[in-house]
Amino acid sequence: MATRRLNVLVYSGNGSTIESVRHAFYSLRRLLSSNYAVIPVTGETIIKEPWTASCALLVFPGGADLGYCRTLNGEGNRRIREYVSRGGSYLGFCAGGYYACSRCEFEVGNGKLEVVGKRELAFYPDTCRGCAYPGFVYHSEDGARAVELKVNKTALTGGRVPDVFRSYYNGGGVFVDANKYKDRGVEVIAEYTQPVAVDGGDGNAAVVYCKVGEGAALLTGPHPEFAPVNLDKKADGPDFASVVDEVAEDDLQRVDFLKACLIKLGLTVNQDESSVPSLSRLHLSSMESSALSAFLERLREAIVVEDGEEYLKGENDIFHFQRSSTWSMDSLSNALHGDKTEKTDDGSMSSDITLDYKDMVKPIMLHEEDYPACKETPYFNHHAFYANLKHYQSLKDIPGEFGRWLLYGEVVTSTSTMLEKNTKLLHALPNGFTATATVQIAGRGRGSNVWVSPAGSLMFSTCIRHPADSMGRAPVVFIQYLTAMAIVEGIKSYDYGYRNLPIKLKWPNDIYVEDPSKPKEKTYVKIGGILVNSSYSGKEYFIIVGSSPLSTTSHFARQSSYTHQKMLTQASQGAGINATNAAPTTSLNALLPSRLQPFTLEKLLARILTVFEDFYHQFLETGFSRDFEDLYYKHWLHTDQIVTLEAEGGVRAKIKGITRDYGLLKAEELGWEDRPTGKIWELQSDNNSFDFLKGLLKRKI
């Protein structure tokens, strides 16, 4: 099974500065958002979380590299170096460049600023020496300048590459004697054209590329990620306004250079100039208008009225309820952009401003009389969704609650976050309430894993009210298994002819398919996963079940979490499928023979929701029955698979199934000649990560 690397991780822990992190996010999201999730990562995550398999690029921004050393020396740096040497990519801006050299020499002889010492990563085999230009002061623009860089166009072959351009600079170094290390995989990408204040040895290398095992690192002294639009001309510093103007004059060249550097590191770059998509209006509808009215009444206590407008101020987001008679484009623009938005000369909204999505008011259009028109939601046909939902509901004796209420947005932060992180909203959600989106720009996964949502992905989150008094018979831990089975069965029962599609489950709940590009090898690739989170209050469980592509999962704890009988547990679950995505992304449509109609997101969502509702109500009556267990084994990849238990000293074991009380993985220990020893291991998904390809169960740190 191939692992797709879709995360670009930007270090934001000890040593980094807020401004440098913000600039890195702005430029990288602008250039990579169509293909990757650009997300922050802390030192603790680097040291403890399983981030390497999904990481396409690890970025260290500007700051102070001693802070990086204090946090990551030892285990953190070992994991970073191992990640890069095994095919990963590292991008270090300024302090991140110093940090990745064999030796750092910063302001030698300046007692207040001097930093000298060896560095563990040592991607560049010599010294980074700075400051290349004088005047540096921490947290100030006193030493800032627009430095001219001469680009080595033979080293950068991707896209348009400038000969010369000016870049923002503040405290960066020179990579000493870079030209001497060509035989060790070092290439000079750009040089300072103006004389530097320190000894740069052979050349004045400002940007270098270093081959590291199967991977690579690209290190910079200046800041090509600093966009002039985000620089404040009024900031302190000698003639800083002129610095900003000079950098702005060469901004197109700066962007082209940064694109070429990312391509050099193996990334797929947006070739247009579009920014991260702006959040869209949300649409709230229901199968019957009376159901929506009843839901709005449930929200009444949480809604506040300001200047005649209705708002729900959640813990994470603010929602503005609007009706078609009061909505206008101006109100939408103001709601989405607020005071941070600037207008261009033609009155359009400028996309060149760094925005915090949490601060934006999210407008929700209430469709109390009819479904949203196709022109209002061109990427999701509500009429088709509800028609298919009614059809599938008619096939089973179910209450018809899942999908009865639908919240849709063309571009949202995360369906899971909107529901889970806003308790006032979550407490009012009826059973079966569903949120879905066409594009998610801040999707959530376990640990640092945040998935990107390419076009054609089915993403949803659904609320279930689960009685706390059913815990003895129907523990919440099994909801993740039910969801995984519902997705597989929903796909296979989508219509006549889809039953034999090669779809499988990896423990506990990831969705895999046979790789259609390698039909003779019978290898598997991941097309989706499930996210589960929970909280408690009252006498019910609120469980949110949904979908997000290529996500990893977050699982419930053991039985100690389920002994509370007088509480309301709110669990948010996200799951997802790459359904109609275009190549090269593997999707469900890529599996279909020509005689079958392609999947549509509306019909597929309706089918999965009805299958899940049927499973859930059976589960309430029977618990995780033998029938459910057999169905799970029918679809999973692991029957009698022999694995190595890394956390148990490398013991070999054969997978035998899952326990029916708390959903633990059962593995039979093997001894000499792989003969059973009689010992059975029971393993939690919270504590173990399953590397199916290597047959390895790893301890999560």
Side-chain angles (χ1 to χ4, degrees), residues 516-527:
S517 68
K518 302 176 181 178
K520 296 182 180 180
E521 298 180 20
K522 202 171 183 178
T523 57
Y524 290 88
V525 293
K526 182 177 176 180
I527 64 165

Side-chain angles (χ1 to χ4, degrees), residues 368-501:
E368 298 175 272
E369 298 181 358
D370 199 359
Y371 305 146
C374 291
K375 288 185 178 180
E376 293 180 280
T377 60
Y379 296 101
F380 190 88
N381 189 323
H382 285 74
H383 291 267
F385 167 73
Y386 284 118
N388 282 291
L389 190 67
K390 290 178 182 177
H391 166 68
Y392 288 131
Q393 288 174 346
S394 69
L395 304 179
K396 284 286 187 177
D397 183 19
I398 55 177
E401 294 176 322
F402 286 35
R404 187 181 184 186
W405 300 265
L406 188 71
L407 180 66
Y408 166 78
E410 182 178 328
V411 182
V412 305
T413 51
S414 161
T415 58
S416 178
T417 297
M418 283 195 300
L419 302 187
E420 178 211 345
K421 296 297 184 181
N422 295 290
T423 307
K424 293 177 183 177
L425 174 63
L426 182 58
H427 282 188
L429 295 180
N431 199 41
F433 184 96
T434 297
T436 189
T438 298
V439 175
Q440 293 189 141
I441 57 178
R444 301 181 61 229
R446 189 179 70 218
S448 65
N449 296 315
V450 174
W451 27 256
V452 66
S453 59
S457 302
L458 176 59
M459 300 161 286
F460 69 92
S461 297
T462 301
C463 176
I464 306 168
R465 301 179 73 107
H466 188 72
D469 58 12
S470 69
M471 284 302 299
R473 179 179 63 258
V476 175
V477 68
F478 285 104
I479 295 296
Q480 59 182 325
Y481 297 114
L482 293 181
T483 309
M485 291 188 294
I487 289 175
V488 174
E489 283 294 312
I491 294 168
K492 289 177 173 289
S493 62
Y494 177 83
D495 211 329
Y496 296 109
Y498 294 76
R499 174 57 60 182
N500 294 325
L501 292 181

Side-chain angles (χ1 to χ4, degrees), residues 40 74 120 168 192 201 294 356 421 502 511 549 637:
E120 293 181 347
Y168 173 88
Y192 298 109
D356 185 345
K421 296 297 184 181
I511 313 298
L637 288 162

Side-chain angles (χ1 to χ4, degrees), residues 564-639:
H564 306 278
Q565 295 300 314
K566 294 182 179 180
M567 58 179 64
L568 166 67
T569 300
Q570 299 159 329
S572 71
Q573 173 166 322
I577 317 126
N578 288 333
T580 67
N581 314 58
T585 302
T586 302
S587 67
L588 291 177
N589 278 346
L591 306 176
L592 297 177
S594 58
R595 61 184 173 80
L596 294 180
Q597 291 293 316
F599 288 96
T600 67
L601 298 181
E602 296 88 348
K603 184 175 179 178
L604 183 58
L605 176 59
R607 187 52 181 150
I608 290 173
L609 288 175
T610 50
V611 172
F612 185 80
E613 184 172 9
D614 181 37
F615 283 2
Y616 174 68
H617 284 282
Q618 291 183 46
F619 176 63
L620 284 178
E621 295 180 4
T622 67
F624 197 74
S625 64
R626 180 67 66 183
D627 288 341
F628 278 133
E629 187 178 14
D630 291 343
L631 182 62
Y632 185 75
Y633 295 153
K634 176 182 177 181
H635 294 311
W636 83 336
L637 288 162
H638 308 301
T639 299

Side-chain angles (χ1 to χ4, degrees), residues 330-343 349 355 359-361:
D330 287 340
S331 63
L332 174 61
S333 296
N334 291 335
L336 288 180
H337 298 276
D339 295 336
K340 295 184 179 181
T341 304
E342 293 182 357
K343 296 287 187 77
M349 304 308 298
L355 300 173
D359 291 342
M360 296 181 189
V361 177

Side-chain angles (χ1 to χ4, degrees), residues 163-471:
D163 289 308
V164 177
F165 74 100
R166 286 166 292 182
S167 172
Y168 173 88
Y169 167 93
N170 197 358
V174 182
F175 299 95
V176 176
D177 287 330
N179 289 321
K180 293 182 178 180
Y181 296 105
K182 293 180 181 179
D183 60 343
R184 296 179 62 176
V186 174
E187 297 178 65
V188 176
I189 302 299
E191 290 188 307
Y192 298 109
T193 63
Q194 301 158 320
V196 296
V198 294
D199 182 6
D202 184 3
N204 289 328
V207 182
V208 294
Y209 172 88
C210 311
K211 189 65 179 171
V212 183
E214 297 177 5
L218 194 144
L219 316 178
T220 80
H223 283 280
E225 82 283 14
F226 271 43
V229 71
N230 291 325
L231 295 172
D232 182 5
K233 289 186 176 183
K234 298 179 182 179
D236 293 335
D239 204 18
F240 185 62
S242 297
V243 172
V244 177
D245 288 338
E246 289 181 47
V247 174
E249 288 177 6
D250 288 357
D251 195 46
L252 290 179
Q253 294 92 326
R254 176 194 68 84
V255 173
D256 286 341
F257 176 78
L258 190 54
K259 283 182 180 180
C261 289
L262 293 169
I263 293 171
K264 179 80 171 178
L265 288 170
L267 280 82
T268 302
V269 177
N270 305 342
Q271 288 305 322
D272 59 22
E273 299 301 325
S274 61
S275 62
V276 177
S278 299
L279 297 183
S280 68
R281 183 175 39 148
L282 300 166
H283 297 265
L284 180 59
S285 61
S286 65
M287 188 176 291
E288 311 91 7
S289 59
S290 59
L292 183 57
S293 299
F295 169 55
L296 293 175
E297 281 301 313
R298 298 168 68 105
L299 283 175
R300 189 59 53 192
E301 291 185 3
I303 292 176
V304 297
V305 178
E306 296 180 358
D307 298 326
E309 300 291 330
E310 295 180 322
Y311 297 87
L312 190 154
K313 297 185 177 182
E315 290 74 6
N316 191 75
D317 299 285
I318 299 175
F319 301 99
H320 179 197
F321 293 101
Q322 300 176 337
R323 291 169 172 81
S324 57
S325 59
T326 61
W327 177 78
S328 68
M329 280 299 297
D330 287 340
S331 63
L332 174 61
S333 296
N334 291 335
L336 288 180
H337 298 276
D339 295 336
K340 295 184 179 181
T341 304
E342 293 182 357
K343 296 287 187 77
T344 61
D345 291 339
D346 63 2
S348 61
M349 304 308 298
S350 170
S351 62
D352 290 331
I353 302 297
T354 304
L355 300 173
D356 185 345
Y357 296 117
K358 288 179 64 176
D359 291 342
M360 296 181 189
V361 177
K362 283 78 175 176
I364 299 179
M365 172 65 72
L366 304 177
H367 295 270
E368 298 175 272
E369 298 181 358
D370 199 359
Y371 305 146
C374 291
K375 288 185 178 180
E376 293 180 280
T377 60
Y379 296 101
F380 190 88
N381 189 323
H382 285 74
H383 291 267
F385 167 73
Y386 284 118
N388 282 291
L389 190 67
K390 290 178 182 177
H391 166 68
Y392 288 131
Q393 288 174 346
S394 69
L395 304 179
K396 284 286 187 177
D397 183 19
I398 55 177
E401 294 176 322
F402 286 35
R404 187 181 184 186
W405 300 265
L406 188 71
L407 180 66
Y408 166 78
E410 182 178 328
V411 182
V412 305
T413 51
S414 161
T415 58
S416 178
T417 297
M418 283 195 300
L419 302 187
E420 178 211 345
K421 296 297 184 181
N422 295 290
T423 307
K424 293 177 183 177
L425 174 63
L426 182 58
H427 282 188
L429 295 180
N431 199 41
F433 184 96
T434 297
T436 189
T438 298
V439 175
Q440 293 189 141
I441 57 178
R444 301 181 61 229
R446 189 179 70 218
S448 65
N449 296 315
V450 174
W451 27 256
V452 66
S453 59
S457 302
L458 176 59
M459 300 161 286
F460 69 92
S461 297
T462 301
C463 176
I464 306 168
R465 301 179 73 107
H466 188 72
D469 58 12
S470 69
M471 284 302 299

